[in-house]
Structures are given as C-alpha cells and as structure tokens.
Amino acid sequence: GTSTSLSPSPRLTVTKTADTSGFSSPVTAGDTITYTITAENTGNVVLDNVNITDAQTPTGGSASSLTPTYSSGDTDSDSAIDVGETWTWTVSYNLTQADIDAGGLSNLATVTVDDPNDTAITVESSASGNATTGVGNGTGTSTSLSPSPRLTVTKTADNTSINPASAGDTISYTITVKNTGNVTFTSLSLTDALTSDEAWSASDGGDVDGTGALNVGETWTFTASYAITSSDITSGSVENVAYATGVPASGSNLTVYSGAQGVASTSTSDPSGGGGVVTTL
C-alpha cells in the first residue's frame, strides 16, 4: 500500500485590537479603553492547556498586568482551541492621569498552549495578528493619548478706581492659575512686569499635594501689591497684566496671559494697551 506522512503543524495567530470610541475629547483620566484579543488555531492540530496573560505599559513606563476575560470561541466546550477555532477575550482598562501624562499606552497579550506532544507554544499578540512563536516576537497594540495643555489665568485688583489717588497708595492683586487641560504641568511660573519684585511661589496657595506640579483641575493662587507713583497719577490709570508659563508632562510649554478684571483668560496674546486689569486714578 501507499504510505502517507501527515506532519503536525501547530500554529496559533494572536491578534489584539483597542476600542477607544468611548474616549472624551480631549482624553481624560477615567476614560475606558477596551481590548479584544483573539487566538485562532491556523494550524492542523488541536491546541490545549490554554493560558493568557496581558501586559499594559505606559509610554516610557513599567508594565502592569491586566486580566482578560474569556468571551467566546470554544464551540464544543472541550477547553481546547480546535483547528479553525478562534477564541476571544476582552479586557477593559480605565486610564489614569499618569497614562495621559506619559502620552500613550502599549498593550501586549501572550497566549500559551500545548501541542499534542505537550510541548508548550507561546505566541504574543500584534494589532495585525502574530503567529511567530517565542517571547519578543509580538508587537504591542499602541494607543496615543494626546496631551491638551490648557491654563486659565484670572486676575483681579482690590481697587479698579482710586479717587483721589496719592503716590504710595497700594493696589492689591490676586491671580489664579487653573489647569483646565488634560495633562499635568510639572512646573509653573508666573511673571508680572508691574510687580517684578514679587517673589512668585506656589506656596502662595493651591498646591494641595505639595508636589510642585499643577495637577489637572488644580488652581494656584498668587497675590501681589503695587504702590502707585506720581507718574501713574499723571497718566490717569495703572494697567496690570501677568502671564503664566507651564511645562506640561508631554507637549509644548504653554504661556497664557491674564485679561481684564475678573476675566478667566486662556489667551496666549498679551492684552496690554487696555485689555489688562485697569485701575483708574
């Protein structure tokens, strides 16, 4: 008779996709990313003893483990990935502020199975589907988390009119700087030309956790005072404009100028010439 050799060819293709359709605009801590992992038996032998692990890594950071949940695929409920079967797992993850500050995430799943000879086969995922066995052959599914640095600067004066005015009269200013974007400012400086001798410091108020970073949603408060001069009185008014410069964890530095009295400004243009806080004398 004729002898035919049937060569076993174990093969597994592992694919990972990321669903970010629920992200806010801009992306915000707490937004959910949902990963779907599929493992398809594209070989000619049954693969059993199925295990899956999942590693989530922020850009430039250290990996942490997520736990995927089996969804479907084991059509005959024999706990083996039969030839032609595709198993599916899902895992959801809520973004942290650190993830957004890092600028992105990479997620890599690893599926380990046994072939009929009880030889372990390890396949890592890729976004397009990876079938090459061994550690280091997969590619993490990457998600960019775009920074949207935003500062809101508000300046008020205790007096917008002094009448009569005398040289040496004092105007007290309060300036608040709020992080209204989605990324941490690792440092913040405030500059005020009119009160240039003021030692601006975050210790003036608002750095609630004492990190020296302006966190998302955090407001820092600064105070300053200015003694009017005789030349100010001759001019008939004093105008004050301050600007805050923040260094975001990712993205470019941002400078925002204060506007008119009590106006929450996000302007990157200097409003000097009547658009600042004006005190008439």
Side-chain angles (χ1 to χ4, degrees), residues 192-212:
D192 187 323
L194 189 64
T195 58
S196 56
D197 59 339
E198 181 74 16
W200 297 108
S201 169
S203 62
D204 282 310
D207 186 15
V208 293
D209 55 3
T211 61

Side-chain angles (χ1 to χ4, degrees), residues 10 18 29 33-34 44 102 106 110 114 121 130 159-160 186 190 199 211 221 223 232 250-251 276 278:
I33 185 169
T34 301
N44 65 0
S106 180
T110 303
D114 287 345
I121 297 170
N130 175 51
N159 285 307
T160 56
T186 57
L190 187 70
T211 61
T221 300
T223 57
D232 293 329
S250 56
V278 177

Side-chain angles (χ1 to χ4, degrees), residues 11-71:
R11 184 177 173 86
L12 190 69
T13 301
V14 181
T15 306
K16 164 164 281 200
T17 58
D19 179 4
T20 60
S21 61
F23 276 10
S24 305
S25 181
V27 64
T28 304
D31 285 352
T32 300
I33 185 169
T34 301
Y35 296 103
T36 299
I37 308 109
T38 61
E40 180 182 5
N41 186 339
T42 48
N44 65 0
V45 293
V46 174
L47 304 171
D48 62 6
N49 194 23
V50 184
N51 286 284
I52 184 170
T53 58
D54 191 272
Q56 175 95 298
T57 308
T59 301
S62 301
S64 59
S65 296
L66 304 182
T67 304
T69 300
Y70 168 80
S71 177

Side-chain angles (χ1 to χ4, degrees), residues 88-156:
T88 300
W89 296 262
T90 60
V91 59
S92 292
Y93 174 75
N94 294 328
L95 298 176
T96 68
Q97 187 58 53
D99 297 328
I100 297 172
D101 289 347
L105 292 167
S106 180
N107 191 290
L108 183 73
T110 303
V111 179
T112 302
V113 294
D114 287 345
D115 70 9
N117 294 323
D118 290 332
T119 298
I121 297 170
T122 297
V123 181
E124 296 176 337
S125 66
S126 75
S128 58
N130 175 51
T132 303
T133 60
V135 175
N137 291 311
T139 304
T141 297
S142 296
T143 301
S144 294
L145 304 174
S146 298
S148 181
R150 184 179 172 92
L151 293 171
T152 300
V153 180
T154 307
K155 165 169 274 195
T156 58

